[in-house]
Amino acid sequence: MKKYTNINDIANLKSLIKEAINLKRNPFQNTELGKNKTLVMVFFNASLRTRLSTEKAARNLGMEVSILNVNDAWNLEFEDGAVMNLTTSEHIKEAAQVISQYANIIAVRAFPGLKDKAKDEAEIILNSFLKYATVPVVNMESATAHPLQALADAITIEEFKTTKKPKVVLSWAPHPKALPQAVANSFVKVMQHMEVDFSITHPEGYELNPEIVKDTPINYNQKEALENADFVYVKNWSSYNKYGQILSEDSNWMITKEKLGQAKFMHCLPIRRNVIAEDAVLDSENSIVIPQANNRTFSAQIILKKILENK
Ligand code: CP
């Protein structure tokens, strides 16, 4: 593998999931692979899981890890030809090449602004690292995608499924802040490659990018959509069509124990209790959010391993 910026970088999802589950059984089986190699993680935004799990994954492979919070570095410029006489002090052209000299792999987290769709979809930060870095780049959540999360989600469904083709529903839920579509986008993409009966439910106006959704069924009736589900993946996202806007905070879309039924409850975390899902859901045996978060380590580890092996 040369990079991991999108689900499309996975050549064979089924075998990758199998390998990740195997790694989980013996996480220290490849400690020589990363010896004398360094992962540099660059954060433009906050993180708990991604930061700690990716660091753990790298260390499990014998790698060293350096972390750069860009708020503690020079203000970066991304525009070609910019006259840098205002607030930016260093161009990404130099920064990415310099970081590459200290790194064997660079991992980047950079959320969208949610103001300008075209600008967010251009993935300026991630693509600038891809353009100027001289080592492989990993996406730790960009403007439009969170492929490490989606791979962890796929591993989790594979581990917890009790039927060959489980029913998986992605449900929108309310949130007081405008959130990106990245997690939902990557979850949709990964589910399209799995042997699952997959559908999406959300209020009208919350349609995701149609180029990602393709022919995945959408049901605007959440109760109907959740019937007989095996897995309910809950996530808020802001409107894609009325870009970045909150169109509804309708608490009727919050996941309750009654709505969940016998299904397993999934969420990428962090989660706002009693807004996205009620306490009774998160505190129930049906919630698998903690093992789901644990799989972030093995999703990152299998990706770093493939990149280190260059295959
Ligand atoms: N799910 C996830 O990416 O969590 P963090 O934002 O804490 O990294």
Side-chain angles (χ1 to χ4, degrees):
M1 192 180 261
K2 305 266 185 246
K3 66 174 179 72
Y4 186 60
T5 57
N6 207 298
I7 292 298
N8 303 342
D9 292 321
I10 299 175
N12 185 333
L13 179 65
K14 203 172 171 178
S15 77
L16 196 71
I17 292 172
K18 216 169 149 185
E19 285 183 67
I21 293 171
N22 175 42
L23 266 185
K24 189 175 177 178
R25 291 193 188 109
N26 179 7
F28 307 113
Q29 59 189 281
N30 306 108
T31 48
E32 283 299 307
L33 191 61
K35 202 176 165 194
N36 300 327
K37 305 256 167 71
T38 302
L39 170 71
V40 173
M41 298 200 284
V42 183
F43 285 94
F44 289 79
N45 303 96
S47 168
L48 187 155
R49 277 143 292 275
T50 305
R51 178 172 172 155
L52 295 177
S53 63
T54 309
E55 176 168 357
K56 185 170 176 193
R59 294 200 190 283
N60 284 353
L61 292 165
M63 297 184 83
E64 297 294 328
V65 179
S66 299
I67 297 173
L68 179 70
N69 297 312
V70 292
N71 286 343
D72 299 333
W74 303 109
N75 255 356
L76 288 174
E77 176 62 58
F78 289 88
E79 198 181 309
D80 269 346
V83 178
M84 291 169 54
N85 60 356
L86 294 172
T87 54
T88 54
S89 309
E90 175 156 22
H91 202 281
I92 188 65
K93 283 186 188 182
E94 283 79 45
Q97 291 181 76
V98 169
I99 295 169
S100 299
Q101 296 178 115
Y102 313 143
N104 299 90
I105 301 173
I106 300 175
V108 182
R109 164 164 282 201
F111 292 166
L114 291 177
K115 299 268 183 277
D116 180 336
K117 186 191 283 188
K119 195 172 166 195
D120 287 345
E121 291 194 328
E123 293 279 17
I124 291 163
I125 296 179
L126 184 68
N127 284 333
S128 297
F129 274 94
L130 281 169
K131 187 171 175 186
Y132 298 115
T134 56
V135 297
V137 173
V138 172
N139 180 355
M140 295 195 295
E141 187 170 348
S142 65
T144 65
H146 196 355
L148 284 176
Q149 178 67 53
L151 179 55
D153 301 336
I155 295 166
T156 309
I157 289 174
E158 191 60 32
E159 286 181 324
F160 279 88
K161 73 179 187 186
T162 53
T163 56
K164 194 165 183 291
K165 191 177 178 185
K167 176 174 173 179
V168 180
V169 183
L170 170 63
S171 177
W172 181 92
H175 195 282
K177 276 178 66 185
L179 296 186
Q181 296 104 28
V183 168
N185 286 344
S186 291
F187 186 70
V188 170
K189 280 188 161 198
V190 86
M191 286 304 107
Q192 288 167 344
H193 288 93
M194 283 186 79
E195 197 181 352
V196 291
D197 168 11
F198 179 54
S199 59
I200 308 172
T201 181
H202 56 69
E204 289 192 45
Y206 277 98
E207 291 76 13
L208 292 161
N209 182 346
E211 286 176 22
I212 291 173
V213 172
K214 295 182 180 142
D215 56 1
T216 300
I218 299 169
N219 190 337
Y220 297 117
N221 182 329
Q222 189 193 40
K223 191 166 178 276
E224 203 178 281
L226 298 189
E227 265 170 29
N228 300 318
D230 296 297
F231 295 91
V232 177
Y233 195 106
V234 183
K235 183 72 185 87
N236 170 270
W237 60 87
S238 55
S239 175
Y240 177 75
N241 290 329
K242 292 189 174 175
Y243 192 67
Q245 289 185 30
I246 297 176
L247 308 179
S248 163
E249 286 189 62
D250 185 354
S251 59
N252 287 324
W253 278 78
M254 179 178 78
I255 297 295
T256 61
K257 199 149 191 311
E258 190 191 342
K259 281 188 206 172
L260 187 66
Q262 294 308 305
K264 298 287 183 205
F265 174 80
M266 299 180 73
H267 189 281
C268 62
L269 305 182
I271 186 165
R272 293 195 182 217
R273 281 177 171 253
N274 304 308
V275 176
I276 295 272
E278 65 177 3
D279 281 340
V281 168
L282 280 155
D283 296 334
S284 76
E285 286 186 356
N286 291 39
S287 172
I288 55 171
V289 297
I290 305 302
Q292 181 185 356
N294 188 38
N295 280 334
R296 290 295 309 275
T297 299
F298 306 102
S299 118
Q301 193 168 332
I302 194 65
I303 294 300
L304 295 175
K305 178 175 180 280
K306 291 283 170 198
I307 292 174
L308 288 171
E309 290 172 338
N310 194 15
K311 64 183 185 192

PDB file of all heavy atoms in Angstrom, residues 248-275:
ATOM      1  N   SER A 248     -32.213  20.551  11.418  1.00  0.00           N
ATOM      2  CA  SER A 248     -33.119  20.000  12.430  1.00  0.00           C
ATOM      3  C   SER A 248     -32.329  19.593  13.653  1.00  0.00           C
ATOM      4  O   SER A 248     -31.203  19.097  13.539  1.00  0.00           O
ATOM      5  CB  SER A 248     -33.825  18.766  11.842  1.00  0.00           C
ATOM      6  OG  SER A 248     -34.389  17.991  12.885  1.00  0.00           O
ATOM      7  N   GLU A 249     -32.914  19.840  14.823  1.00  0.00           N
ATOM      8  CA  GLU A 249     -32.354  19.290  16.067  1.00  0.00           C
ATOM      9  C   GLU A 249     -33.423  18.420  16.716  1.00  0.00           C
ATOM     10  O   GLU A 249     -33.481  18.281  17.936  1.00  0.00           O
ATOM     11  CB  GLU A 249     -31.919  20.412  17.000  1.00  0.00           C
ATOM     12  CG  GLU A 249     -30.645  21.096  16.572  1.00  0.00           C
ATOM     13  CD  GLU A 249     -30.126  22.047  17.633  1.00  0.00           C
ATOM     14  OE1 GLU A 249     -29.807  21.590  18.741  1.00  0.00           O
ATOM     15  OE2 GLU A 249     -30.069  23.258  17.342  1.00  0.00           O
ATOM     16  N   ASP A 250     -34.294  17.857  15.874  1.00  0.00           N
ATOM     17  CA  ASP A 250     -35.461  17.103  16.320  1.00  0.00           C
ATOM     18  C   ASP A 250     -35.044  15.945  17.231  1.00  0.00           C
ATOM     19  O   ASP A 250     -34.467  14.958  16.775  1.00  0.00           O
ATOM     20  CB  ASP A 250     -36.200  16.583  15.075  1.00  0.00           C
ATOM     21  CG  ASP A 250     -37.502  15.899  15.434  1.00  0.00           C
ATOM     22  OD1 ASP A 250     -37.765  15.742  16.649  1.00  0.00           O
ATOM     23  OD2 ASP A 250     -38.242  15.537  14.508  1.00  0.00           O
ATOM     24  N   SER A 251     -35.365  16.076  18.516  1.00  0.00           N
ATOM     25  CA  SER A 251     -34.934  15.052  19.484  1.00  0.00           C
ATOM     26  C   SER A 251     -35.645  13.720  19.261  1.00  0.00           C
ATOM     27  O   SER A 251     -35.245  12.708  19.839  1.00  0.00           O
ATOM     28  CB  SER A 251     -35.133  15.546  20.911  1.00  0.00           C
ATOM     29  OG  SER A 251     -36.495  15.838  21.103  1.00  0.00           O
ATOM     30  N   ASN A 252     -36.681  13.706  18.419  1.00  0.00           N
ATOM     31  CA  ASN A 252     -37.335  12.430  18.095  1.00  0.00           C
ATOM     32  C   ASN A 252     -36.394  11.486  17.345  1.00  0.00           C
ATOM     33  O   ASN A 252     -36.675  10.298  17.243  1.00  0.00           O
ATOM     34  CB  ASN A 252     -38.576  12.668  17.228  1.00  0.00           C
ATOM     35  CG  ASN A 252     -39.698  13.259  18.054  1.00  0.00           C
ATOM     36  OD1 ASN A 252     -39.852  12.921  19.214  1.00  0.00           O
ATOM     37  ND2 ASN A 252     -40.443  14.183  17.460  1.00  0.00           N
ATOM     38  N   TRP A 253     -35.304  12.037  16.797  1.00  0.00           N
ATOM     39  CA  TRP A 253     -34.348  11.186  16.071  1.00  0.00           C
ATOM     40  C   TRP A 253     -33.272  10.606  16.992  1.00  0.00           C
ATOM     41  O   TRP A 253     -32.439   9.814  16.561  1.00  0.00           O
ATOM     42  CB  TRP A 253     -33.702  11.957  14.913  1.00  0.00           C
ATOM     43  CG  TRP A 253     -34.579  11.979  13.698  1.00  0.00           C
ATOM     44  CD1 TRP A 253     -35.668  12.783  13.495  1.00  0.00           C
ATOM     45  CD2 TRP A 253     -34.479  11.142  12.545  1.00  0.00           C
ATOM     46  NE1 TRP A 253     -36.242  12.488  12.278  1.00  0.00           N
ATOM     47  CE2 TRP A 253     -35.527  11.494  11.670  1.00  0.00           C
ATOM     48  CE3 TRP A 253     -33.600  10.142  12.146  1.00  0.00           C
ATOM     49  CZ2 TRP A 253     -35.723  10.871  10.433  1.00  0.00           C
ATOM     50  CZ3 TRP A 253     -33.785   9.514  10.912  1.00  0.00           C
ATOM     51  CH2 TRP A 253     -34.843   9.883  10.078  1.00  0.00           C
ATOM     52  N   MET A 254     -33.297  11.008  18.269  1.00  0.00           N
ATOM     53  CA  MET A 254     -32.342  10.411  19.227  1.00  0.00           C
ATOM     54  C   MET A 254     -32.620   8.912  19.328  1.00  0.00           C
ATOM     55  O   MET A 254     -33.768   8.472  19.269  1.00  0.00           O
ATOM     56  CB  MET A 254     -32.514  11.054  20.612  1.00  0.00           C
ATOM     57  CG  MET A 254     -31.589  10.469  21.665  1.00  0.00           C
ATOM     58  SD  MET A 254     -31.756  11.275  23.278  1.00  0.00           S
ATOM     59  CE  MET A 254     -33.259  10.516  23.874  1.00  0.00           C
ATOM     60  N   ILE A 255     -31.560   8.117  19.495  1.00  0.00           N
ATOM     61  CA  ILE A 255     -31.751   6.658  19.596  1.00  0.00           C
ATOM     62  C   ILE A 255     -32.096   6.290  21.039  1.00  0.00           C
ATOM     63  O   ILE A 255     -31.369   6.646  21.978  1.00  0.00           O
ATOM     64  CB  ILE A 255     -30.476   5.894  19.139  1.00  0.00           C
ATOM     65  CG1 ILE A 255     -30.182   6.183  17.670  1.00  0.00           C
ATOM     66  CG2 ILE A 255     -30.648   4.385  19.353  1.00  0.00           C
ATOM     67  CD1 ILE A 255     -31.206   5.686  16.671  1.00  0.00           C
ATOM     68  N   THR A 256     -33.236   5.615  21.157  1.00  0.00           N
ATOM     69  CA  THR A 256     -33.682   5.129  22.466  1.00  0.00           C
ATOM     70  C   THR A 256     -33.550   3.611  22.488  1.00  0.00           C
ATOM     71  O   THR A 256     -33.425   2.972  21.438  1.00  0.00           O
ATOM     72  CB  THR A 256     -35.157   5.494  22.693  1.00  0.00           C
ATOM     73  OG1 THR A 256     -35.930   4.846  21.670  1.00  0.00           O
ATOM     74  CG2 THR A 256     -35.375   6.996  22.655  1.00  0.00           C
ATOM     75  N   LYS A 257     -33.628   3.046  23.678  1.00  0.00           N
ATOM     76  CA  LYS A 257     -33.524   1.593  23.833  1.00  0.00           C
ATOM     77  C   LYS A 257     -34.668   0.912  23.090  1.00  0.00           C
ATOM     78  O   LYS A 257     -34.481  -0.133  22.461  1.00  0.00           O
ATOM     79  CB  LYS A 257     -33.546   1.236  25.320  1.00  0.00           C
ATOM     80  CG  LYS A 257     -32.993  -0.133  25.610  1.00  0.00           C
ATOM     81  CD  LYS A 257     -32.339  -0.188  26.966  1.00  0.00           C
ATOM     82  CE  LYS A 257     -31.542  -1.453  27.167  1.00  0.00           C
ATOM     83  NZ  LYS A 257     -32.196  -2.692  26.839  1.00  0.00           N
ATOM     84  N   GLU A 258     -35.822   1.557  23.143  1.00  0.00           N
ATOM     85  CA  GLU A 258     -36.989   0.982  22.471  1.00  0.00           C
ATOM     86  C   GLU A 258     -36.765   0.914  20.957  1.00  0.00           C
ATOM     87  O   GLU A 258     -37.008  -0.114  20.323  1.00  0.00           O
ATOM     88  CB  GLU A 258     -38.216   1.840  22.798  1.00  0.00           C
ATOM     89  CG  GLU A 258     -39.516   1.195  22.355  1.00  0.00           C
ATOM     90  CD  GLU A 258     -40.686   2.170  22.447  1.00  0.00           C
ATOM     91  OE1 GLU A 258     -40.579   3.187  23.152  1.00  0.00           O
ATOM     92  OE2 GLU A 258     -41.689   1.897  21.751  1.00  0.00           O
ATOM     93  N   LYS A 259     -36.232   1.995  20.388  1.00  0.00           N
ATOM     94  CA  LYS A 259     -35.986   2.018  18.930  1.00  0.00           C
ATOM     95  C   LYS A 259     -34.906   1.011  18.536  1.00  0.00           C
ATOM     96  O   LYS A 259     -34.960   0.414  17.482  1.00  0.00           O
ATOM     97  CB  LYS A 259     -35.481   3.404  18.503  1.00  0.00           C
ATOM     98  CG  LYS A 259     -36.538   4.453  18.366  1.00  0.00           C
ATOM     99  CD  LYS A 259     -35.857   5.672  17.742  1.00  0.00           C
ATOM    100  CE  LYS A 259     -36.547   6.922  18.108  1.00  0.00           C
ATOM    101  NZ  LYS A 259     -35.807   8.106  17.680  1.00  0.00           N
ATOM    102  N   LEU A 260     -33.907   0.867  19.409  1.00  0.00           N
ATOM    103  CA  LEU A 260     -32.769  -0.002  19.085  1.00  0.00           C
ATOM    104  C   LEU A 260     -33.181  -1.471  19.037  1.00  0.00           C
ATOM    105  O   LEU A 260     -32.681  -2.232  18.206  1.00  0.00           O
ATOM    106  CB  LEU A 260     -31.659   0.200  20.130  1.00  0.00           C
ATOM    107  CG  LEU A 260     -30.334  -0.505  19.865  1.00  0.00           C
ATOM    108  CD1 LEU A 260     -29.650   0.079  18.621  1.00  0.00           C
ATOM    109  CD2 LEU A 260     -29.407  -0.386  21.080  1.00  0.00           C
ATOM    110  N   GLY A 261     -34.115  -1.844  19.900  1.00  0.00           N
ATOM    111  CA  GLY A 261     -34.550  -3.246  19.949  1.00  0.00           C
ATOM    112  C   GLY A 261     -33.379  -4.153  20.288  1.00  0.00           C
ATOM    113  O   GLY A 261     -32.611  -3.881  21.206  1.00  0.00           O
ATOM    114  N   GLN A 262     -33.192  -5.210  19.495  1.00  0.00           N
ATOM    115  CA  GLN A 262     -32.131  -6.188  19.751  1.00  0.00           C
ATOM    116  C   GLN A 262     -30.825  -5.842  19.020  1.00  0.00           C
ATOM    117  O   GLN A 262     -29.845  -6.580  19.122  1.00  0.00           O
ATOM    118  CB  GLN A 262     -32.594  -7.591  19.300  1.00  0.00           C
ATOM    119  CG  GLN A 262     -33.755  -8.147  20.116  1.00  0.00           C
ATOM    120  CD  GLN A 262     -33.465  -8.084  21.610  1.00  0.00           C
ATOM    121  OE1 GLN A 262     -32.454  -8.605  22.080  1.00  0.00           O
ATOM    122  NE2 GLN A 262     -34.347  -7.416  22.360  1.00  0.00           N
ATOM    123  N   ALA A 263     -30.841  -4.746  18.281  1.00  0.00           N
ATOM    124  CA  ALA A 263     -29.671  -4.404  17.450  1.00  0.00           C
ATOM    125  C   ALA A 263     -28.472  -4.012  18.308  1.00  0.00           C
ATOM    126  O   ALA A 263     -28.617  -3.559  19.438  1.00  0.00           O
ATOM    127  CB  ALA A 263     -30.019  -3.259  16.511  1.00  0.00           C
ATOM    128  N   LYS A 264     -27.291  -4.176  17.754  1.00  0.00           N
ATOM    129  CA  LYS A 264     -26.066  -3.670  18.369  1.00  0.00           C
ATOM    130  C   LYS A 264     -25.965  -2.184  18.034  1.00  0.00           C
ATOM    131  O   LYS A 264     -26.235  -1.774  16.894  1.00  0.00           O
ATOM    132  CB  LYS A 264     -24.822  -4.385  17.819  1.00  0.00           C
ATOM    133  CG  LYS A 264     -24.790  -5.882  18.098  1.00  0.00           C
ATOM    134  CD  LYS A 264     -24.501  -6.153  19.542  1.00  0.00           C
ATOM    135  CE  LYS A 264     -24.386  -7.634  19.816  1.00  0.00           C
ATOM    136  NZ  LYS A 264     -24.694  -7.973  21.212  1.00  0.00           N
ATOM    137  N   PHE A 265     -25.533  -1.399  19.021  1.00  0.00           N
ATOM    138  CA  PHE A 265     -25.420   0.049  18.838  1.00  0.00           C
ATOM    139  C   PHE A 265     -23.971   0.434  18.577  1.00  0.00           C
ATOM    140  O   PHE A 265     -23.081   0.069  19.349  1.00  0.00           O
ATOM    141  CB  PHE A 265     -25.927   0.769  20.095  1.00  0.00           C
ATOM    142  CG  PHE A 265     -25.716   2.248  20.059  1.00  0.00           C
ATOM    143  CD1 PHE A 265     -26.584   3.066  19.354  1.00  0.00           C
ATOM    144  CD2 PHE A 265     -24.629   2.832  20.711  1.00  0.00           C
ATOM    145  CE1 PHE A 265     -26.380   4.446  19.311  1.00  0.00           C
ATOM    146  CE2 PHE A 265     -24.424   4.203  20.665  1.00  0.00           C
ATOM    147  CZ  PHE A 265     -25.308   5.008  19.962  1.00  0.00           C
ATOM    148  N   MET A 266     -23.754   1.171  17.495  1.00  0.00           N
ATOM    149  CA  MET A 266     -22.399   1.617  17.154  1.00  0.00           C
ATOM    150  C   MET A 266     -22.347   3.140  17.010  1.00  0.00           C
ATOM    151  O   MET A 266     -23.308   3.762  16.560  1.00  0.00           O
ATOM    152  CB  MET A 266     -21.929   0.968  15.840  1.00  0.00           C
ATOM    153  CG  MET A 266     -21.860  -0.547  15.900  1.00  0.00           C
ATOM    154  SD  MET A 266     -21.295  -1.268  14.332  1.00  0.00           S
ATOM    155  CE  MET A 266     -19.550  -0.858  14.354  1.00  0.00           C
ATOM    156  N   HIS A 267     -21.232   3.716  17.391  1.00  0.00           N
ATOM    157  CA  HIS A 267     -20.973   5.152  17.203  1.00  0.00           C
ATOM    158  C   HIS A 267     -19.465   5.338  17.242  1.00  0.00           C
ATOM    159  O   HIS A 267     -18.769   4.673  18.017  1.00  0.00           O
ATOM    160  CB  HIS A 267     -21.657   5.973  18.303  1.00  0.00           C
ATOM    161  CG  HIS A 267     -21.606   7.452  18.056  1.00  0.00           C
ATOM    162  ND1 HIS A 267     -20.476   8.200  18.306  1.00  0.00           N
ATOM    163  CD2 HIS A 267     -22.531   8.304  17.561  1.00  0.00           C
ATOM    164  CE1 HIS A 267     -20.722   9.461  17.975  1.00  0.00           C
ATOM    165  NE2 HIS A 267     -21.963   9.556  17.521  1.00  0.00           N
ATOM    166  N   CYS A 268     -18.955   6.263  16.449  1.00  0.00           N
ATOM    167  CA  CYS A 268     -17.495   6.439  16.381  1.00  0.00           C
ATOM    168  C   CYS A 268     -16.909   7.072  17.638  1.00  0.00           C
ATOM    169  O   CYS A 268     -15.709   6.957  17.882  1.00  0.00           O
ATOM    170  CB  CYS A 268     -17.139   7.279  15.160  1.00  0.00           C
ATOM    171  SG  CYS A 268     -17.846   8.936  15.219  1.00  0.00           S
ATOM    172  N   LEU A 269     -17.752   7.768  18.426  1.00  0.00           N
ATOM    173  CA  LEU A 269     -17.323   8.541  19.607  1.00  0.00           C
ATOM    174  C   LEU A 269     -16.436   9.721  19.180  1.00  0.00           C
ATOM    175  O   LEU A 269     -15.733   9.581  18.186  1.00  0.00           O
ATOM    176  CB  LEU A 269     -16.606   7.671  20.640  1.00  0.00           C
ATOM    177  CG  LEU A 269     -17.358   6.423  21.151  1.00  0.00           C
ATOM    178  CD1 LEU A 269     -16.498   5.707  22.216  1.00  0.00           C
ATOM    179  CD2 LEU A 269     -18.727   6.757  21.717  1.00  0.00           C
ATOM    180  N   PRO A 270     -16.431  10.848  19.870  1.00  0.00           N
ATOM    181  CA  PRO A 270     -17.174  11.090  21.107  1.00  0.00           C
ATOM    182  C   PRO A 270     -18.676  11.236  20.851  1.00  0.00           C
ATOM    183  O   PRO A 270     -19.079  11.643  19.762  1.00  0.00           O
ATOM    184  CB  PRO A 270     -16.585  12.416  21.608  1.00  0.00           C
ATOM    185  CG  PRO A 270     -16.173  13.131  20.378  1.00  0.00           C
ATOM    186  CD  PRO A 270     -15.692  12.054  19.435  1.00  0.00           C
ATOM    187  N   ILE A 271     -19.473  10.921  21.871  1.00  0.00           N
ATOM    188  CA  ILE A 271     -20.927  10.978  21.730  1.00  0.00           C
ATOM    189  C   ILE A 271     -21.529  11.838  22.834  1.00  0.00           C
ATOM    190  O   ILE A 271     -21.082  11.785  23.980  1.00  0.00           O
ATOM    191  CB  ILE A 271     -21.538   9.559  21.755  1.00  0.00           C
ATOM    192  CG1 ILE A 271     -23.036   9.600  21.457  1.00  0.00           C
ATOM    193  CG2 ILE A 271     -21.255   8.824  23.067  1.00  0.00           C
ATOM    194  CD1 ILE A 271     -23.635   8.253  21.122  1.00  0.00           C
ATOM    195  N   ARG A 272     -22.514  12.639  22.465  1.00  0.00           N
ATOM    196  CA  ARG A 272     -23.247  13.441  23.458  1.00  0.00           C
ATOM    197  C   ARG A 272     -24.400  12.591  23.979  1.00  0.00           C
ATOM    198  O   ARG A 272     -25.347  12.314  23.232  1.00  0.00           O
ATOM    199  CB  ARG A 272     -23.747  14.737  22.832  1.00  0.00           C
ATOM    200  CG  ARG A 272     -22.607  15.657  22.465  1.00  0.00           C
ATOM    201  CD  ARG A 272     -23.101  17.053  22.205  1.00  0.00           C
ATOM    202  NE  ARG A 272     -21.994  17.901  21.808  1.00  0.00           N
ATOM    203  CZ  ARG A 272     -21.890  19.170  22.171  1.00  0.00           C
ATOM    204  NH1 ARG A 272     -22.796  19.725  22.940  1.00  0.00           N
ATOM    205  NH2 ARG A 272     -20.862  19.888  21.761  1.00  0.00           N
ATOM    206  N   ARG A 273     -24.283  12.184  25.231  1.00  0.00           N
ATOM    207  CA  ARG A 273     -25.322  11.363  25.861  1.00  0.00           C
ATOM    208  C   ARG A 273     -26.642  12.126  25.967  1.00  0.00           C
ATOM    209  O   ARG A 273     -26.662  13.332  26.216  1.00  0.00           O
ATOM    210  CB  ARG A 273     -24.870  10.941  27.268  1.00  0.00           C
ATOM    211  CG  ARG A 273     -23.890   9.766  27.250  1.00  0.00           C
ATOM    212  CD  ARG A 273     -23.412   9.430  28.642  1.00  0.00           C
ATOM    213  NE  ARG A 273     -22.658   8.184  28.623  1.00  0.00           N
ATOM    214  CZ  ARG A 273     -23.118   7.034  29.116  1.00  0.00           C
ATOM    215  NH1 ARG A 273     -24.307   6.982  29.678  1.00  0.00           N
ATOM    216  NH2 ARG A 273     -22.378   5.940  29.033  1.00  0.00           N
ATOM    217  N   ASN A 274     -27.720  11.413  25.730  1.00  0.00           N
ATOM    218  CA  ASN A 274     -29.085  11.928  25.820  1.00  0.00           C
ATOM    219  C   ASN A 274     -29.370  13.029  24.794  1.00  0.00           C
ATOM    220  O   ASN A 274     -30.309  13.807  24.952  1.00  0.00           O
ATOM    221  CB  ASN A 274     -29.406  12.383  27.252  1.00  0.00           C
ATOM    222  CG  ASN A 274     -29.179  11.246  28.242  1.00  0.00           C
ATOM    223  OD1 ASN A 274     -29.698  10.147  28.037  1.00  0.00           O
ATOM    224  ND2 ASN A 274     -28.363  11.469  29.253  1.00  0.00           N
ATOM    225  N   VAL A 275     -28.518  13.094  23.771  1.00  0.00           N
ATOM    226  CA  VAL A 275     -28.767  13.950  22.601  1.00  0.00           C
ATOM    227  C   VAL A 275     -28.760  13.044  21.365  1.00  0.00           C
ATOM    228  O   VAL A 275     -29.728  12.977  20.615  1.00  0.00           O
ATOM    229  CB  VAL A 275     -27.706  15.061  22.463  1.00  0.00           C
ATOM    230  CG1 VAL A 275     -27.936  15.880  21.191  1.00  0.00           C
ATOM    231  CG2 VAL A 275     -27.715  15.971  23.684  1.00  0.00           C
TER     232      VAL A 275
END
